Amino acid sequence: MRRLLLILNGKSAQREDVRGAVERVRGEGCEVRVRVTYDGDDAAQFAREAVRLAGDARPQVIVAGGGDGTVNQVVAAALEADPATDCAF
């Protein structure tokens, strides 16, 4: 089972297409945890926390849901926290 973390821009959290996509991926047997941003630095904080987790708690894939700013924040913060992370983006 693949472990995914979706870091989702708060503006997208209530979209039905996003909710449907998460349910479809879960239906395929993946574990999907969702963290929704509220403040400006949330995406970066969630990414830093994720790559610092150990073992089965750490996601194998980090998905940034939002625009270019969200994607940039997530990838930059994760790689800054752990440049050798084995998480895919």
Side-chain angles (χ1 to χ4, degrees):
M1 171 174 36
R2 290 187 63 110
R3 296 180 310 277
L4 291 85
L5 170 64
L6 170 59
I7 300 175
L8 184 60
N9 183 296
K11 295 176 186 176
S12 302
Q14 297 301 321
R15 289 180 43 174
E16 288 302 317
D17 59 335
V18 172
R19 290 175 171 270
V22 169
E23 290 308 313
R24 281 190 298 280
V25 172
R26 285 178 175 157
E28 293 174 3
C30 293
E31 174 189 318
V32 182
R33 290 181 292 150
V34 180
R35 302 289 308 265
V36 178
T37 65
Y38 181 78
D39 288 323
D41 191 47
D42 285 349
Q45 183 61 35
F46 296 156
R48 285 190 291 270
E49 291 170 358
V51 298
R52 291 179 179 148
L53 293 171
D56 288 345
R58 183 176 44 230
Q60 295 166 307
V61 180
I62 299 174
V63 179
D68 293 348
T70 304
V71 172
N72 185 47
Q73 263 192 320
V74 167
V75 174
L79 293 177
E80 178 183 305
D82 183 0
T85 186
D86 59 353
C87 291
F89 297 92

